[in-house]
Amino acid sequence: MIRSILLVLFSLVELATFAQTSQSIFEWKTSSDFSVKEVFRPLIRDSYTVSLNDPKYKVYTLHTYSVKNSQGDTYTIKLNSVDDSRVNRENYNGFSIEHKGKTILSYYTGDPLYNCGNITLYKDKSRFLQIPLDDKSFALCFGGWFYYDQDEAPELVIVVVSEGKAKVVFDNYAFAYKYTPAPNFSIEFVNDWSGIEGDTEIYKKPSFLRSRTKHKIWREGNMLKYKSWK
């Protein structure tokens, strides 16, 4: 009996070792301002700054979208191409967000962005996802271009927008094997897809997940939460 109890306790300890406690991806400082956590933005080091006035770059806007928060405030999202004016280009280099005629965020990733198929099990191939957080705030997810010959999964960039402010709160690799759309947004994903060999249905195979660290991001109230486990 005592041996059985000890075995159960050891198993619980082992599970606790592999499963991290959930935490917030960003923190609200006030009702409208928030701070980021660098641990969730490792790929931001590969991003670069592009200015419309920088003679080194020529920026072309490929697509323009208008989005609103629950209160009806309008934001303009522009998907931009650097030094490539092709209107039929599938991927793009970065994006900018405008509010009341002012650019509140410009962001360019090291690798091109594409659509959100890689984080929605290909159920939604929109250029970005909008996730409501509260009446004033929402998150935007931008999916990365895929390279089947690399071990890293496509990039995922998440931006939080609130009352004329926008910040990148997540920039890392992510390939989802579970997806729940907004408003109850949730994805479970891996950042390593070595061995995929062009098989986009591989997320359905248990052998693909068995040896990899799994990650989850989900909406909880006006927050985005994160945890990982083996």
Side-chain angles (χ1 to χ4, degrees):
M1 181 66 177
I2 294 176
R3 185 167 179 241
S4 298
I5 293 174
L6 288 174
L7 286 173
V8 170
L9 289 174
F10 286 139
S11 297
L12 290 174
V13 170
E14 187 177 20
L15 285 173
T17 301
F18 285 111
Q20 292 185 1
T21 303
S22 65
Q23 54 184 308
S24 301
I25 289 180
F26 65 97
E27 296 290 346
W28 288 107
K29 296 163 62 177
T30 66
S31 60
S32 61
D33 195 16
F34 52 96
S35 59
V36 302
K37 298 181 178 180
E38 295 302 327
V39 66
F40 294 114
R41 311 192 309 169
L43 298 187
I44 204 168
R45 67 180 183 273
D46 299 324
S47 64
Y48 59 101
T49 301
V50 174
S51 170
L52 293 176
N53 300 317
D54 191 335
K56 292 189 300 183
Y57 302 106
K58 178 63 176 176
V59 177
Y60 301 90
T61 297
L62 302 180
H63 306 282
T64 302
Y65 304 88
S66 291
V67 300
K68 295 182 179 182
N69 62 15
S70 298
Q71 291 184 335
D73 298 325
T74 301
Y75 293 81
T76 300
I77 315 297
K78 293 183 177 181
L79 307 186
N80 300 323
S81 174
V82 177
D83 296 329
D84 187 345
S85 62
R86 291 175 299 151
V87 295
N88 61 343
R89 180 180 174 181
E90 289 187 320
N91 56 25
Y92 60 100
N93 298 105
F95 56 87
S96 56
I97 302 175
E98 298 178 0
H99 180 58
K100 295 182 178 180
K102 178 183 177 182
T103 299
I104 59 175
L105 177 67
S106 289
Y107 193 72
Y108 293 83
T109 51
D111 290 325
L113 296 171
Y114 183 44
N115 65 36
C116 291
N118 293 316
I119 59 167
T120 65
L121 281 64
Y122 301 95
K123 295 177 180 177
D124 190 335
K125 296 182 181 180
S126 301
R127 292 293 188 176
F128 58 86
L129 304 178
Q130 182 178 4
I131 305 159
L133 298 178
D134 57 34
D135 289 344
K136 306 172 185 176
S137 311
F138 56 88
L140 299 170
C141 296
F142 298 87
W145 185 252
F146 46 84
Y147 294 95
Y148 290 129
D149 58 347
Q150 293 184 3
D151 291 341
E152 294 85 4
E155 192 167 351
L156 169 61
V157 179
I158 302 178
V159 177
V160 169
V161 182
S162 181
E163 291 202 71
K165 301 181 182 67
K167 299 176 185 178
V168 174
V169 299
F170 185 91
D171 190 354
N172 206 345
Y173 301 113
F175 178 73
Y177 60 90
K178 285 186 181 180
Y179 165 66
T180 301
N184 299 315
F185 173 77
S186 172
I187 57 171
E188 293 184 25
F189 62 94
V190 296
N191 55 25
D192 164 27
W193 74 351
S194 55
I196 188 172
E197 297 177 351
D199 183 3
T200 57
E201 299 289 300
I202 201 166
Y203 59 82
K204 299 178 181 179
K205 302 174 182 178
S207 58
F208 175 68
L209 298 174
R210 191 172 297 123
S211 62
R212 304 170 200 261
T213 300
K214 276 73 72 177
H215 309 261
K216 182 177 181 179
I217 294 175
W218 71 99
R219 178 196 173 190
E220 189 172 302
N222 67 347
M223 295 298 305
L224 291 175
K225 296 282 192 173
Y226 166 90
K227 69 175 182 180
S228 67
W229 68 97
K230 189 70 174 180

